[in-house]
């Protein structure tokens, strides 16, 4: 993950939605959950959140909350899952996953199996439409998720 070009608008796995205080937010191409997004810490290589100082940790969480609020606004999920794992990729990043009602969620009321986020690809046309909608939210000064 450290090898990503964080200046690029598209890192292959995901499309840049927003450059935050200390991390970038991407709408992810993989998986079976529309709206699955990842916030990647870009300051330096950090495997554990305990390696961040107080300012960095607060900024990383603010960036994640800003994305989460935009996902909630666009997708209207029943629940937002925010996961900071790093077991397979030891670089601090949040998985932000909108959860839906039974019938539309691959594991209603339960933790998602990781293969639901890893296997398959999002429809590229829908992904691009969602990128535009999320960018509008994330850059709209009237929207409450945007820092003034």
């Amino acid at each position: 993950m450290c090898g990503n070009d964080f200046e690029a608008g598209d890192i292959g796995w995901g499309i840049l939605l927003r450059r935050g205080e200390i991390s970038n937010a991407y709408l992810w191409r993989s998986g079976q959950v529309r709206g699955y997004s990842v916030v990647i810490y870009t300051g330096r290589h950090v495997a554990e959140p305990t390696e961040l100082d107080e300012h960095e940790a607060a900024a990383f969480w603010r960036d994640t909350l800003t994305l989460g609020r935009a996902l909630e606004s666009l997708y209207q999920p029943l629940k937002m899952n925010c996961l900071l794992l790093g077991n397979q990729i030891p670089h601090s990043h949040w998985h932000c996953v909108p959860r839906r009602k039974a019938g539309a969620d691959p594991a209603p009321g339960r933790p998602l199996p990781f293969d639901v986020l890893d296997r398959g690809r999002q429809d590229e046309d829908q992904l691009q439409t969602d990128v535009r909608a999320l960018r509008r939210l994330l850059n709209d000064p009237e929207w409450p998720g945007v820092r003034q």
Side-chain angles (χ1 to χ4, degrees):
M1 193 166 280
C2 295
N4 286 319
D5 177 3
F6 293 121
E7 296 302 314
D10 188 329
I11 59 172
W13 290 102
I15 301 170
L16 181 68
L17 295 172
R18 177 179 185 268
R19 294 184 203 288
E21 289 182 66
I22 206 152
S23 53
N24 288 352
Y26 299 90
L27 187 59
W28 226 234
R29 282 194 166 92
S30 68
Q32 303 161 33
V33 178
R34 183 175 168 212
Y36 171 38
S37 300
V38 176
V39 179
I40 304 172
Y41 181 81
T42 59
R44 63 184 185 286
H45 173 68
V46 171
E48 302 297 337
T50 54
E51 296 173 39
L52 301 171
D53 66 30
E54 286 185 35
H55 168 77
E56 293 167 324
F60 193 28
W61 185 235
R62 277 191 302 273
D63 289 345
T64 302
L65 291 175
T66 298
L67 174 65
R69 289 179 181 122
L71 296 172
E72 287 175 338
S73 181
L74 181 62
Y75 299 110
Q76 301 292 303
L78 291 178
K79 172 84 174 89
M80 276 299 304
N81 285 174
C82 294
L83 306 101
L84 180 68
L85 304 169
N87 298 314
Q88 293 181 359
I89 300 174
H91 183 91
S92 284
H93 62 288
W94 287 96
H95 300 262
C96 298
V97 187
R99 301 297 301 270
R100 295 177 171 77
K101 64 183 178 182
D105 191 284
R110 299 186 320 269
L112 283 175
F114 193 74
D115 66 342
V116 169
L117 300 177
D118 198 38
R119 292 199 178 117
R121 297 284 275 189
Q122 300 292 319
D123 176 79
E124 190 67 25
D125 290 337
Q126 183 65 66
L127 189 78
Q128 294 294 336
T129 297
D130 289 355
V131 164
R132 288 188 295 275
L134 287 164
R135 283 178 177 165
R136 278 192 300 273
L137 283 170
L138 291 164
N139 292 309
D140 181 356
E142 299 298 315
W143 182 66
V146 175
R147 288 187 329 269
Q148 300 297 327

